[in-house]
Amino acid sequence: MQKEFKYCPSDFASLPAKPIHMDLHFDIYNEYANVSSTMHAKALRELKEVSLDARDLQILSTKIGSKECNFKYDKQNAKLTLFFPKKIKKGENFTISSNSICRPTKNILEGLYYDRTPNNAPPTQITQCQQWGFQRLVPCFDDMCAKCTYTTKISADSRYTHIISNGDVSSQRKNIGNKRCTITYENKKTPMAPYLFFLCAGTYDSHTREFEYPGGSKFSLELLLFPGSDTKAAEQSLEILHNAILWIHIFTGKHCYENIEKRRKLYELCLQREKIKSKKNKIKENTKLANLRKQISALASSLKLGYKYTGTIYREIGMQNSNFGGMENVGNTTITANRIMPHPNMPDGAFEYMIAVKAHEFYHNINGSEVTGRSPFELWLNEAATVFIEDKYMQFCAGAQYSRLSQVMRIISPDGGTLDFDTGAITMPILAKGFNSPDELISDVTYSKGPEFIRMVESIAGKEKFAKALAYYHKKYSHSNASTKEWVDAISESTKINFSKMADSWLTQTGYPTVHVKKQFNAKKKLLILSLRQTGFKKMCWQFPFSASLYDAKGNKIAIKQIWVKAKTAKISFPCKFPPAFISFCPSFLFYGKINYPYAESGLYSQLKFDADATSRYMALEKLAQKERMQILQKKKKHFSKKFMQAYFSLLADEKLTFQMGTEHLAISSSVEHKYLKHRYHALHIIRENFRNQIAKANKEKLLQIYFSHKQKKFPSLPFVQKTLAQIKARSVKNASLSLLSSLGEPKMHKLILSQFKEAKSATDKYAALSLILDSKLPSKMKIIKQYEKECAKDPVQYEVFLSLLGGNDSPDAIKLMKWAQNSPNFDISQSNEHRMFMRFAHNKRLSMQTSVGRAFLKKIILRLANINEYSCVHILSAFSKINDFPREFQPPLVKMLFEILKKLDSKKVPFVYNTIRRTLKGAPKAVKEYEKKARQNKKTRILTCHAKNFSFQPAGKKSPSKPKSVP
Ligand SMILES: [Zn+2]
C-alpha cells in the first residue's frame, strides 16, 4: 500500500539545530565537484546524532568539531546521519564538517547541472536549488527555516569567464596554478534559506548598467548572456530591469498610495536623468544632470518610498535548460535565456512575460528571500504577494484594463484555465495536504489562485490599508520565516479586519464559489433586491467580495454596491425607480469564481456596448458566444447569428478600442461551460472553424483594410517599452485579421500569408504566418517547414517557438510533423524547451486524446519523458485531469493507457509522475468503471483484478483496510 503523497506537513518538524553560518569550498571539475563544508550551528535540543539532507552525493568523510565521526548514509531516503562521540547540550554551539562529491547531469535540472556551453569552453555548470537542490550539492538542513550566512570559496578552470555565488566578493579571483583559479564570496548581510543558494561556473558575455536611486545611492546591474548575444537587446533588457526596480521603489511599500502624482513625476524625472546619463557627451550634460538630481532628491525626500536593494550588484543570468521561467537566488536571478532580453526572434507574448518576470524576481528580494515561508507548503506565501505586485507593475506598463483582462482570461478559460484546473483530478488547495515533489506546488493554484485570494483581501480592506498591512508583515518577519497563520494574523492586525475565516475558506479548499443570483424588482416599494446563494464549497462557505452595478438604457451607471459575502446566502438591495437595463457584477473579476445569473441576451448586448469595465465586457461577449455555441452543439441551429457576428466584428474594427486592448477583448474561447459537452473537442473545433469562415466571408474587404492599415502602424514618440507594447497590440489586430482571412482558403490569402512569412520584420509576424501555413493545405508546406527548421536550429529562441508551433498545430499532419521534428539531429530531448512541443500537443486534446494515433503518440512521449524530466511529464499528464467527464467512447482507451504506463514505470525512480497518474485515476472513477466494463466485455477481467490490487489507495497515515479497495 502506498501513500497518496510522499510528503505531508508532519514531515516538516522543527529543526534539531539552528545553522548559523556555512563555510563552503567547491572544487569544480568537468565531471564532478569536490565539496568541503563546515556548518556552524546551535543545538536546539540535546543531540547524540544529527540527520542531514544529502541527495545523490558521494560522502568521503564527516567530522564533528575537529574529530572524525561515524556516519550512515541512507541514499534512498537522502539522509546522512552523523553520530557524535559525546552528547551536545541544548544551546551549545558546534560545528559539523563534511567532504563529499556531487556530479552534475544534463537532465536533472536541480542541484548542479550542465547548461548550454559555448564551443571550446569548459562545460557551463549552474545550480537550481528551489526547492531541494541544495542537498544535491552538500549535506545540509535543506529547510526553508534553515536561514544562515555563507562564505563560499570556488576553485575552477580559469577559462571560465564567470565564477559566481551569492554575496559580495571577499577574496578576489586569483590563479592557483594548473590552469585553475579561485574566488571567495561572502553573504553575511542577509541570512539566506538554502533554496536560494546559487553557484555558477560559466562562459558569458557581461553587460552592465548603473542603478541610481532617487536619493543618490547606487548599485550595479549585470546581465550575463551566452557569448555573442546582441548588445542592443542587452541594453534594452537592462533598461527594462532598471525601470522595474525603480517602479518597485517608488510605487510599492507602506505609503505607496500617498501623493500618487508626485510619485509619477519622480518616476518620469528619474527616467529623464537616465536618458541624459546615456548620452555620449557627458561634459555638455553635466549641469543639466546636476540640476535634475537636485530636483529628484528634493522630490524623493518629500515622499516615503518602498524597497531598496541592499547588495552591491544584482545579476540576471540567462540559463538555457531550466524548468522554470525565472528563479530568484538573492542577487543572482536566473531567467530562461529565451526570456531574458528582447531577442529579435522573441514572440510578443514572451516580451510581456519578460517585463513581468524581471519585476517578479526582483520583488522576491523582500517577499520570499528576506521574509520566507516556513515550509514548501507555504511556497504560496512567497509567490502570491509577488505575483500580486508583478500584476500591478504590468498594469502600470501595459494599461490596467488590458493587463487585468489577460490575467482573467487565463483563469476563466473553460478549457484549461485555472478554474477548470481547480476542479480537476490533480488539483490541490493553496495550502496543499501533501506533495510528491515540491515542484508539484509550482502550479496554477499557487501562481494564480493565491494572488486572486490576495486581491480579494485587498478589495475588502481597501488598497491603502492593504499596502500598509503588507509592509507591516514584511517588517515583522524581516530576515525570518512566517507561517500562513502568521501572514493572515499580520494582515488582520494591521487592517483591524479579521480575515482568518476567509483565509481558511480559500486556503484549504479546492474549487471556487458559484454564486446564483436572483433578481426581484418591487415597483411599489421602488426596490431592487438581489438574492445571492453560493455553492461549490465542501467544508465551509467561501468568503469573498461581491458587487453589482446598475446601468440604465443609455449606458449610465446609476448605482453600485459592494458587500463581503460571509454566509451561504446574502442580499443586496437598491432603491430604484425602474428596473435597470442591465446589471454588471463584480468588475475586473472581483472574486475567484463564477456567477450564475439568467442573463438576458439584450442585457448582454447592452453590456458589451456600455459596461465601463473591459473584463466584464469580455465576459458578456464570451457568454453570448457560448450561448450560440451551445445551440449549435445541441443542433438547435447551424450557424452563429448575424447579430453576434456583427457585434464581434465591430469590436475588431473599433480602432480606439484595439489601440487600448489589442485583440485581448476578442480572444473568446472555443469551448463551452457545460461539464460534459465541453469535452466534445471535435465538434467544437468544427464550430470554431465555421465561425471564422463566416466572419471572413461577410467582412473580407474590411478585414483586408484592417490588415493593411495595421501593417503601417508606427509609434515613434513613445519610449521603448510603451512603444513595443503598442506595436504588440497593433500586430495582434493585423494577425487576427490575417488568421480570419486564411480560413477562406483562397489562393489570394495564401499568397498574403506567404509574403508575410517571407518579409516579416517582427518575429511574431513570422510565427503568425508560419502557424497559418502549418494549418493550411498549401502544397509547399513541408518544403517551407524543413527549410525553416534548418534556420531555426541556429537560434534557441526561434527553435523553441518553432517546436511549440508544431505542437500546437491543428492540421491532420500534426503528428507526422512532430515525429519528423523529434528525429531531427537538432532535437535534444534533455532540453526542457524542447518539451514545449509535447506539452502543447498533449493539451490539444482533440488530437492527443480523442484520436487513436494521437493516443499512441502521447503514450510514447509520456514513457520517454518520465525518466528524463518528471516536471515536464507531469505538465503533460495534467491534460488527463478531466477524463472523467469525457465522452464515454474515449474513456476506456485513455484509462487503459494510463494503467499501461504505470506498469512500465518505477514508482521509486519517478514518484512524481507515478503518483500523479495514480491520483488522476483516483479522480476519474467513472472513466475507470467504463474501462472495466469494456474490458469485461472483452473478457479481460483477470488483468483488471490485478490492476485493482496494484493501484488501490490508502489515505495517508491510516492503517491499511482489511480488504483491498477497488480500483481508484
Ligand atoms: Zn516567484
Side-chain angles (χ1 to χ4, degrees):
M1 287 295 167
Q2 295 148 316
K3 285 202 293 184
E4 188 175 352
F5 298 110
K6 200 168 168 197
Y7 301 100
C8 299
S10 58
D11 295 324
F12 296 86
S14 59
L15 293 169
K18 161 127 194 66
I20 299 162
H21 182 77
M22 287 191 90
D23 280 308
L24 300 169
H25 181 199
F26 287 85
D27 203 7
I28 295 178
Y29 298 89
N30 286 2
E31 311 290 328
Y32 68 95
N34 186 325
V35 189
S36 313
S37 151
T38 299
M39 183 205 291
H40 306 260
K42 183 179 179 172
L44 296 174
R45 51 179 180 256
E46 194 180 82
L47 299 172
K48 278 193 277 186
E49 57 182 55
V50 73
S51 273
L52 300 175
D53 301 298
R55 196 172 294 269
D56 293 342
L57 297 177
Q58 184 186 343
I59 309 292
L60 303 175
S61 67
T62 59
K63 267 185 196 170
I64 166 91
S66 57
K67 287 184 187 141
E68 297 252 335
C69 70
N70 292 332
F71 66 86
K72 192 181 106 196
Y73 187 19
D74 175 359
K75 259 200 142 173
Q76 188 156 12
N77 292 304
K79 288 284 179 195
L80 174 72
T81 307
L82 272 59
F83 302 99
F84 302 157
K86 75 175 205 281
K87 278 181 200 167
I88 288 170
K89 284 184 219 133
K90 183 180 170 184
E92 200 180 316
N93 284 346
F94 65 101
T95 59
I96 38 185
S97 310
S98 64
N99 187 235
S100 56
I101 284 179
C102 68
R103 289 175 204 280
T105 69
K106 220 178 147 190
N107 64 307
I108 298 172
L109 309 184
E110 196 178 64
L112 190 65
Y113 68 89
Y114 298 118
D115 200 23
R116 184 176 173 218
T117 301
N119 289 341
N120 305 320
T124 294
Q125 302 185 43
I126 196 161
T127 62
Q128 164 69 41
C129 287
Q130 169 130 355
Q131 284 290 329
W132 291 342
F134 195 53
Q135 57 187 277
R136 290 181 180 274
L137 300 178
V138 59
C140 61
F141 292 117
D142 204 351
D143 187 292
M144 285 159 82
C145 288
K147 286 189 165 185
C148 72
T149 54
Y150 290 82
T151 303
T152 311
K153 181 177 170 183
I154 309 164
S155 308
D157 192 314
S158 45
R159 285 175 301 160
Y160 286 120
T161 57
H162 289 81
I163 302 171
I164 300 167
S165 186
N166 313 82
D168 296 330
V169 175
S170 66
S171 173
Q172 294 296 336
R173 180 170 169 157
K174 55 176 181 269
N175 289 327
I176 48 171
N178 241 348
K179 292 181 185 160
R180 293 177 65 74
C181 66
T182 179
I183 184 168
T184 308
Y185 289 85
E186 243 175 26
N187 186 28
K188 285 194 168 167
K189 277 186 212 150
T190 311
M192 183 178 80
Y195 78 90
L196 293 165
F197 183 83
F198 181 72
L199 189 138
C200 160
T203 308
Y204 298 98
D205 275 356
S206 160
H207 303 263
T208 56
R209 172 179 174 147
E210 177 183 84
F211 185 91
E212 181 177 347
Y213 276 114
S217 58
K218 293 172 184 173
F219 66 95
S220 30
L221 304 176
E222 185 178 29
L223 199 60
L224 297 187
L225 303 171
F226 198 77
S229 301
D230 186 272
T231 306
K232 189 162 176 239
E235 277 168 14
Q236 288 168 333
S237 168
L238 284 166
E239 180 180 339
I240 294 166
L241 174 64
H242 169 276
N243 295 2
I245 297 174
L246 184 63
W247 181 88
I248 286 171
H249 181 55
I250 297 179
F251 292 98
T252 69
K254 191 174 173 186
H255 302 278
C256 64
Y257 290 103
E258 292 166 15
N259 301 306
I260 288 287
E261 278 318 306
K262 267 192 180 177
R263 281 171 200 272
R264 282 187 198 282
K265 177 86 190 156
L266 180 63
Y267 189 79
E268 287 305 314
L269 289 175
C270 288
L271 294 192
Q272 272 181 39
R273 180 198 63 204
E274 290 305 300
K275 214 172 174 183
I276 298 176
K277 273 165 76 178
S278 71
K279 288 197 175 153
K280 287 207 175 90
N281 191 345
K282 288 208 169 73
I283 298 160
K284 207 175 127 196
E285 305 289 343
N286 266 349
T287 357
K288 241 195 217 167
L289 207 51
N291 285 337
L292 201 50
R293 280 197 171 112
K294 249 190 226 161
Q295 210 183 336
I296 288 171
S297 159
L299 192 54
S301 61
S302 73
L303 293 165
K304 287 176 181 137
L305 299 169
Y307 175 76
K308 259 177 95 174
Y309 187 63
T310 54
T312 54
I313 184 160
Y314 178 79
R315 274 184 211 100
E316 281 184 347
I317 301 144
M319 69 199 315
Q320 192 60 44
N321 200 8
S322 170
N323 287 333
F324 307 116
M327 172 65 200
E328 74 281 12
N329 305 295
V330 185
N332 293 292
T333 287
T334 45
I335 296 183
T336 166
N338 298 2
R339 301 286 182 278
I340 200 169
M341 62 171 179
H343 198 283
N345 290 322
M346 184 184 245
D348 289 343
F351 182 84
E352 292 184 35
Y353 177 90
M354 177 189 59
I355 299 176
V357 79
K358 284 174 189 278
H360 178 107
E361 304 306 343
F362 189 82
Y363 191 73
H364 266 316
N365 276 312
I366 178 163
N367 194 75
S369 304
E370 280 191 11
V371 186
T372 314
R374 273 193 189 280
S375 77
F377 288 97
E378 270 135 345
L379 189 78
W380 84 271
L381 272 185
N382 292 359
E383 294 307 330
T386 305
V387 174
F388 172 80
I389 295 290
E390 167 203 326
D391 288 347
K392 285 196 187 280
Y393 180 56
M394 286 313 284
Q395 296 189 9
F396 176 83
C397 293
Q401 300 253 9
Y402 169 82
S403 171
R404 180 62 184 153
L405 177 56
S406 316
Q407 289 152 16
V408 173
M409 276 164 47
R410 284 196 291 274
I411 298 170
I412 64 173
S413 162
D415 188 28
T418 316
L419 292 177
D420 185 40
F421 173 77
D422 205 5
T423 47
I426 57 167
T427 187
M428 297 197 279
I430 296 177
L431 261 178
K433 280 191 286 185
F435 58 85
N436 298 304
S437 151
D439 289 349
E440 230 166 320
L441 303 171
I442 308 210
S443 72
D444 258 12
V445 167
T446 304
Y447 283 84
S448 183
K449 188 182 187 179
E452 290 303 309
F453 164 63
I454 291 191
R455 273 181 60 89
M456 289 187 277
V457 170
E458 184 203 39
S459 106
I460 288 167
K463 281 183 177 168
E464 292 82 359
K465 265 192 185 176
F466 184 75
K468 288 196 165 69
L470 193 60
Y472 172 70
Y473 161 76
H474 286 146
K475 200 172 166 195
K476 187 167 180 180
Y477 294 99
S478 177
H479 300 309
S480 67
N481 299 78
S483 68
T484 295
K485 187 178 178 308
E486 284 165 334
W487 187 87
V488 176
D489 287 349
I491 302 296
S492 299
E493 199 185 319
S494 171
T495 55
K496 299 190 174 62
I497 301 169
N498 188 346
F499 285 108
S500 61
K501 279 198 176 146
M502 174 167 169
D504 279 350
S505 73
W506 284 103
L507 302 175
T508 61
Q509 303 187 105
T510 57
Y512 51 83
T514 299
V515 180
H516 307 268
V517 186
K518 260 192 191 160
K519 179 184 75 175
Q520 261 182 312
F521 179 68
N522 188 327
K524 244 190 204 169
K525 288 186 182 168
K526 297 192 169 76
L527 206 61
L528 179 93
I529 299 169
L530 298 172
S531 309
L532 318 179
R533 181 175 59 85
Q534 60 159 304
T535 56
F537 54 88
K538 280 153 210 126
K539 291 178 286 181
M540 63 196 100
C541 29
W542 307 95
Q543 292 205 6
F544 52 93
F546 189 94
S547 82
S549 309
L550 310 188
Y551 280 78
D552 69 12
K554 286 181 185 155
N556 302 307
K557 204 189 274 182
I558 44 180
I560 176 164
K561 265 189 187 173
Q562 181 173 328
I563 60 164
W564 182 0
V565 178
K566 291 181 175 179
K568 205 175 161 185
T569 59
K571 269 195 168 58
I572 310 178
S573 57
F574 292 92
C576 110
K577 288 179 194 160
F578 307 100
F582 69 93
I583 307 174
S584 172
F585 298 107
C586 303
S588 292
F589 196 65
L590 186 62
F591 77 96
Y592 177 86
K594 289 182 183 171
I595 295 168
N596 177 17
Y597 173 74
Y599 292 96
E601 203 174 284
S602 60
L604 286 172
Y605 277 108
S606 303
Q607 190 170 4
L608 197 54
K609 201 165 167 193
F610 296 122
D611 200 313
D613 176 55
T615 303
S616 302
R617 286 198 305 271
Y618 170 80
M619 284 166 119
L621 182 72
E622 174 73 23
K623 280 198 184 82
L624 285 165
Q626 289 210 20
K627 274 188 177 190
E628 302 258 348
R629 245 177 253 131
M630 276 301 282
Q631 286 168 353
I632 303 173
L633 264 180
Q634 290 165 333
K635 305 219 161 39
K636 288 179 187 161
K637 64 178 185 187
K638 275 194 163 167
H639 300 294
F640 274 80
S641 68
K642 249 193 182 152
K643 189 174 182 187
F644 180 80
M645 292 209 302
Q646 273 165 1
Y648 185 88
F649 182 73
S650 69
L651 291 172
L652 178 65
D654 183 340
E655 250 189 76
K656 218 171 120 192
L657 194 59
T658 53
F659 176 72
Q660 188 198 2
M661 302 297 296
T663 50
E664 216 67 354
H665 59 305
L666 285 163
I668 49 173
S669 73
S670 320
S671 188
V672 289
E673 289 282 349
H674 191 281
K675 193 176 177 193
Y676 301 112
L677 291 179
K678 72 195 277 184
H679 302 294
R680 296 237 160 247
Y681 299 112
H682 191 68
L684 285 163
H685 174 74
I686 292 173
I687 293 173
R688 175 178 175 264
E689 289 310 300
N690 286 345
F691 171 70
R692 282 157 37 84
N693 186 259
Q694 267 177 278
I695 290 260
K697 261 190 193 156
N699 304 285
K700 189 168 144 185
E701 291 311 313
K702 283 182 196 152
L703 278 168
L704 282 166
Q705 266 172 28
I706 295 175
Y707 175 80
F708 286 110
S709 73
H710 281 78
K711 208 175 163 184
Q712 314 296 338
K713 284 216 182 319
K714 287 198 172 82
F715 307 92
S717 62
L718 292 172
F720 169 64
V721 169
Q722 278 69 19
K723 188 200 302 187
T724 311
L725 289 167
Q727 283 165 343
I728 287 175
K729 290 174 187 174
R731 265 199 292 274
S732 79
V733 178
K734 180 180 71 183
N735 288 323
S737 311
L738 186 64
S739 165
L740 287 168
L741 288 166
S742 78
S743 73
L744 296 170
E746 292 174 5
K748 182 180 170 187
M749 304 311 162
H750 284 156
K751 236 174 130 185
L752 204 57
I753 294 168
L754 285 175
S755 80
Q756 173 161 324
F757 181 71
K758 276 179 202 141
E759 292 153 22
K761 288 203 177 71
S762 92
T764 290
D765 284 347
K766 187 120 188 152
Y767 301 140
L770 179 66
S771 151
L772 296 175
I773 291 171
L774 282 169
D775 279 343
S776 75
K777 288 178 186 148
L778 266 173
S780 55
K781 183 165 153 178
M782 203 59 213
K783 198 177 143 203
I784 295 172
I785 294 162
K786 280 188 177 165
Q787 211 168 6
Y788 188 61
E789 194 241 12
K790 271 188 206 141
E791 187 191 323
C792 286
K794 291 177 218 146
D795 174 36
V797 177
Q798 214 174 338
Y799 190 55
E800 177 198 333
V801 183
F802 172 70
L803 291 177
S804 170
L805 287 177
L806 286 185
N809 177 213
D810 235 345
S811 80
D813 307 324
I815 292 167
K816 192 177 91 189
L817 286 169
M818 277 183 287
K819 282 184 179 166
W820 162 78
Q822 68 170 2
N823 288 330
S824 150
N826 299 316
F827 191 91
D828 178 357
I829 189 90
S830 72
Q831 297 293 305
S832 63
N833 281 333
E834 257 82 324
H835 306 162
R836 282 170 207 271
M837 176 170 87
F838 298 135
M839 289 179 191
R840 279 201 73 183
F841 166 69
H843 285 267
N844 184 359
K845 293 170 235 174
R846 180 177 75 87
L847 289 177
S848 67
M849 299 170 91
Q850 302 196 347
T851 65
S852 59
V853 273
R855 283 191 295 272
F857 187 55
L858 185 61
K859 186 178 164 188
K860 274 190 190 153
I861 294 171
I862 294 172
L863 282 169
R864 195 167 172 211
L865 270 189
N867 291 305
I868 292 173
N869 186 319
E870 283 201 87
Y871 186 78
S872 298
C873 191
V874 166
H875 188 92
I876 285 172
L877 285 167
S878 68
F880 287 79
S881 81
K882 287 284 171 80
I883 54 170
N884 209 42
D885 301 333
F886 269 31
R888 235 187 250 169
E889 68 262 36
F890 300 120
Q891 290 177 331
L894 286 168
V895 170
K896 187 173 174 230
M897 169 175 159
L898 290 177
F899 275 137
E900 284 169 356
I901 293 171
L902 267 189
K903 259 190 145 178
K904 289 195 174 153
L905 294 179
D906 181 340
S907 66
K908 290 203 177 74
K909 263 195 196 152
V910 290
F912 188 15
V913 171
Y914 192 85
N915 288 325
T916 302
I917 297 181
R918 289 171 65 234
R919 284 202 296 133
T920 305
L921 287 165
K922 189 190 175 193
K926 250 178 61 191
V928 173
K929 251 194 192 148
E930 202 57 42
Y931 159 70
E932 288 175 331
K933 208 169 101 191
K934 190 89 196 237
R936 239 174 269 128
Q937 284 165 4
N938 293 341
K939 295 179 183 165
K940 282 187 184 165
T941 0
R942 250 192 171 171
I943 302 166
L944 260 172
T945 335
C946 157
H947 279 156
K949 268 190 193 160
N950 281 347
F951 307 118
S952 63
F953 280 86
Q954 179 202 2
K958 281 189 186 168
K959 276 190 181 172
S960 55
S962 50
K963 266 191 208 167
K965 280 186 184 175
S966 62
V967 178

